[in-house]
Each structure stands twice: as structure tokens, then as C-alpha cells.
Amino acid sequence: MRSTNRVIEAGILWAGIVFNGMSLLLYAMGLSMMDANVGERVSAYGVLFDRSYPRLIGVLDDPNFYVFL
């Protein structure tokens, strides 16, 4: 069965919306639950505190990979 471009584009669109929506929700939850004065490389939910600087990791484990997805 062949798919049309419109179906493929819609699937990619919704996957991106769900991925980014979940990541931002987890990031907000992590920011609200963590203290800003934490140690090095401490993560909770969707946020990673690296030298007391919050970085978005979302549903991933590494903030550098989030940029590519």
C-alpha cells in the first residue's frame, strides 16, 4: 500500500508536536520541583542542571541530542 506525501507529512507533524509538547511539559515540571542551587549534572523530569544552569532534555537523556530531534 502506498502512502501519499500528505499522510507522511501529517504523521511527522503530529510526532513533532507530541515530542516537543511532552518535553516542554516535563521541563516545566522539573523546573518547578528542583532547586536552582543543585550540584553538577543533576536531572529531574525533563530538565538537567549543569553547573546550576537548567538545560532542556525532555524525554531524552542528553541535552545535545535534543537539538537534533
Side-chain angles (χ1 to χ4, degrees), residues 38-61:
V38 294
E40 180 141 344
R41 307 277 307 169
V42 176
S43 64
Y45 294 98
V47 65
L48 169 74
F49 281 93
D50 189 18
R51 296 178 295 255
S52 297
Y53 181 73
R55 297 180 71 187
L56 173 67
I57 57 173
V59 296
L60 304 174
D61 290 333

Side-chain angles (χ1 to χ4, degrees), residues 4-15:
T4 63
N5 287 341
R6 180 173 231 119
V7 172
I8 294 171
E9 289 173 358
I12 292 172
L13 172 77
W14 284 108

